[in-house]
Amino acid sequence: MCSFGHNGVFNPRLSSVSVIDYPESTVTIPLMCLQCEDAVCQNVCPVGAIYRDKNDAVVIDPAKCIVCKLCVNACPLGNMKFSPITRSVFKCDLCGGTPQCARYCHAGAIVYVDPHEDSDRKKRIADQFKEAFSEVKS
């Protein structure tokens, strides 16, 4: 859905959602930009092309971006990408406040929640990820 909404084609290489697949344990985990509080991608951008929009999403201004790819190398989770097709850097922009991946994820694996939610829910989600990754290692 991500690549279609932004580029008009269904192409995993153009999606801001990466998928980590563990076939041995039949676990598949979607991984996308976490909209970091102290965004490294934003900090390393030499021209200020990465900023926070009105939805508090970390976004890229394509008019300012010089495609140096410093942000791609800086992202600790690999959620900044370079498209050889569009010759541009891209990442999740939360679809302007209505993420289509969450809207159309029928399994409920992707949800969009208020970033100012309580920390207890965040801890439970982190514990679930920790448990899922520990099962993969077994």
Side-chain angles (χ1 to χ4, degrees):
M1 183 50 41
C2 181
S3 66
F4 184 76
H6 284 39
N7 301 293
V9 294
F10 290 103
N11 183 339
R13 290 179 54 194
L14 295 177
S15 176
S16 295
V17 180
S18 300
V19 178
I20 300 172
D21 187 26
Y22 296 98
E24 309 82 39
S25 58
T26 64
V27 173
T28 303
I29 300 171
L31 183 65
M32 64 260 315
C33 179
L34 299 179
Q35 307 297 330
C36 302
E37 232 175 274
D38 186 22
V40 178
C41 59
Q42 183 178 9
N43 296 338
V44 302
C45 183
V47 294
I50 302 174
Y51 65 97
R52 287 200 181 273
D53 70 3
K54 66 183 186 309
N55 297 311
D56 206 30
V58 178
V59 296
I60 303 167
D61 180 346
K64 287 185 179 178
C65 181
I66 59 172
V67 195
C68 66
K69 302 180 205 162
L70 286 174
C71 55
V72 174
N73 292 325
C75 179
L77 296 174
N79 291 318
M80 295 288 297
K81 298 180 180 179
F82 171 74
S83 168
I85 297 166
T86 61
R87 307 280 310 150
S88 63
V89 173
F90 68 98
K91 62 175 283 313
C92 177
D93 60 4
L94 298 178
C95 294
T98 310
Q100 298 304 296
C101 57
R103 180 177 176 203
Y104 290 103
C105 183
H106 64 281
I110 301 173
V111 294
Y112 177 64
V113 294
D114 185 335
H116 306 293
E117 70 180 14
D118 68 305
S119 61
D120 289 340
R121 186 175 192 299
K122 289 180 183 178
K123 185 177 179 341
R124 284 194 309 274
I125 292 169
D127 288 343
Q128 289 173 344
F129 270 110
K130 185 177 177 182
E131 184 179 317
F133 280 115
S134 68
E135 288 176 13
V136 170
K137 290 181 181 178
S138 304

